[in-house]
Amino acid sequence: ISVSGAYTYLHSRQKNMEITDQATSSMAEAERAEAQTPVHQASASMKYQNHGGFRARASGRYVSEQFRYYANYSAYPVQSMDTKKLGGYLVLDLRLSQEILGKYEISLDVNNILDRKYSERFGNDIYDCNFPMPGRSITAGVSVKF
């Protein structure tokens, strides 16, 4: 049995000089959470293998919410920044496999066990949908060693 894990805490901020009025070219300093950067990320994995050729791996990863900023010109010449949030997510995966006769291996993979609806990437603008990741998937396989 082996167990591994990792955690990252990244509290980053961005400071920008931004145009607030297009007509006068007025600018102001803005400070906010770093774009497209989660504060918390964690992953964990547990693997098991016995002498009979059976293997099991359970893994998970967590990513906290992220933000992206888009210029809003709807009140032209006044310009503002709109914020879009990408929600945090937890995804769990499982893989089971069994070696047979030293030459064959059958396997079963279940990805996104909890069938979470999540996105890892933002869309192109504030109104665009984010890029969704697949829901639960189950895959079975057979492999042969030559």
Side-chain angles (χ1 to χ4, degrees):
I1 294 177
S2 65
V3 178
S4 64
Y7 173 75
T8 301
Y9 173 77
L10 183 61
H11 182 74
S12 58
R13 306 288 294 168
Q14 68 182 44
K15 276 187 182 180
N16 301 324
M17 289 299 292
E18 298 174 354
I19 293 179
T20 56
D21 190 321
Q22 293 283 338
T24 63
S25 296
S26 298
M27 297 187 81
E29 183 176 347
E31 182 177 343
R32 56 179 68 94
E34 182 76 27
Q36 304 182 80
T37 304
V39 174
H40 305 280
Q41 293 186 76
S43 63
S45 177
M46 180 187 294
K47 297 176 185 176
Y48 169 79
Q49 180 175 347
N50 68 16
H51 295 294
F54 176 76
R55 293 184 193 103
R57 182 187 73 227
S59 60
R61 66 187 183 284
Y62 169 75
V63 177
S64 65
E65 65 187 8
Q66 301 172 59
F67 301 95
R68 187 164 174 189
Y69 310 103
Y70 300 88
N72 181 339
Y73 301 101
S74 63
Y76 186 83
V78 175
Q79 177 182 325
S80 62
M81 295 298 278
D82 289 341
T83 302
K84 187 174 184 181
K85 181 173 100 171
L86 196 66
Y89 58 88
L90 171 67
V91 177
L92 302 175
D93 301 321
L94 177 67
R95 177 177 175 85
L96 304 172
S97 66
Q98 175 66 52
E99 190 176 289
I100 301 171
L101 304 172
K103 183 176 179 180
Y104 303 97
E105 182 179 61
I106 58 172
S107 61
L108 177 70
D109 292 286
V110 183
N111 294 318
N112 193 0
I113 294 170
L114 303 174
D115 198 25
R116 297 285 188 205
K117 307 292 185 242
Y118 70 103
S119 294
E120 292 182 345
R121 292 187 47 213
F122 286 92
N124 295 319
D125 63 44
I126 195 150
Y127 302 108
D128 192 10
C129 292
N130 299 322
F131 294 93
M133 295 302 291
R136 180 184 307 119
S137 65
I138 300 172
T139 306
V142 176
S143 60
V144 180
K145 294 178 189 175
F146 293 98

